[in-house]
Amino acid sequence: MIGNEVSEPVAGEFRKLYEEQKFGLPVRDALMNLVERMPLVDVKFFVTAVMLQRETGGNLAEILDNLSHVVRERFKILRQVRVHTAHGRFTGYVLLGLPPFLAIALTLINHDHMAPLFREHLGHLMLEGTIVMQVIGFFWIRQVMKIEV
């Protein structure tokens, strides 16, 4: 039913799951193949729930209903995390773009003042150091702002 009613690529993966099971592969192995093809946390939750239901019994509809609630809550929390970390991500972009913008603006305003930075060997070293530190700082901010749910 999922293979017919859900959009691709999920439908194709569930069709493969059904065909594997239909051609004699044990359901557990077919489900594990699904996890290998789709290495997502939500798919692992689904496979775990189905395998647990097959081994212990219970109401599959209720289990899947609870699982859908968990997945929806995960997406809601993920959106909230993105909202709360937006300021930090924007700060990273601003801090990455501000020095080149200021260098261009200062060069246009007073070329003689900025010329040693581009002509002298020490200026080149300072520019290289600045670029390296800016990139390191940008990735550091991104790492701090990355929260997994």
Side-chain angles (χ1 to χ4, degrees), residues 94-106:
V94 168
L95 289 177
L96 186 65
L98 192 59
F101 174 76
L102 286 176
I104 292 170
L106 289 174

Side-chain angles (χ1 to χ4, degrees), residues 64-127:
L64 293 178
D65 185 47
N66 290 338
L67 180 63
S68 70
H69 178 71
V70 168
V71 169
R72 285 188 188 103
E73 287 300 313
R74 279 189 69 242
F75 279 116
K76 185 192 288 185
I77 291 170
L78 202 73
R79 284 191 304 267
Q80 288 174 347
V81 165
R82 286 196 50 83
V83 166
H84 292 302
T85 60
H87 181 266
R89 286 183 284 121
F90 183 72
T91 300
Y93 293 124
V94 168
L95 289 177
L96 186 65
L98 192 59
F101 174 76
L102 286 176
I104 292 170
L106 289 174
T107 301
L108 292 175
I109 292 170
N110 190 352
H111 180 70
D112 295 333
H113 185 69
M114 293 292 288
L117 189 62
F118 300 107
R119 289 190 193 139
E120 302 290 326
H121 178 67
L122 183 60
H124 289 223
L125 291 176
M126 292 171 73
L127 282 174

Side-chain angles (χ1 to χ4, degrees), residues 27-28 31-32 34-35 41-68 70-71:
V27 175
R28 179 178 179 77
L31 288 169
M32 293 312 290
L34 177 68
V35 169
V41 175
D42 299 325
V43 173
K44 290 177 185 174
F45 285 160
F46 170 76
V47 168
T48 303
V50 170
M51 287 194 316
L52 217 110
Q53 188 274 337
R54 288 182 56 82
E55 292 175 10
T56 62
N59 187 352
L60 182 61
E62 185 178 338
I63 291 171
L64 293 178
D65 185 47
N66 290 338
L67 180 63
S68 70
V70 168
V71 169

Side-chain angles (χ1 to χ4, degrees), residues 4-59:
N4 294 329
E5 293 185 11
V6 177
S7 62
E8 291 294 334
V10 175
E13 293 299 329
F14 275 91
R15 270 189 242 114
K16 285 180 190 174
L17 171 72
Y18 176 71
E19 289 173 4
E20 286 177 348
Q21 182 266 328
K22 187 171 74 173
F23 290 127
L25 192 65
V27 175
R28 179 178 179 77
D29 294 341
L31 288 169
M32 293 312 290
N33 289 344
L34 177 68
V35 169
E36 288 176 17
R37 288 191 308 263
M38 297 176 66
L40 302 170
V41 175
D42 299 325
V43 173
K44 290 177 185 174
F45 285 160
F46 170 76
V47 168
T48 303
V50 170
M51 287 194 316
L52 217 110
Q53 188 274 337
R54 288 182 56 82
E55 292 175 10
T56 62
N59 187 352

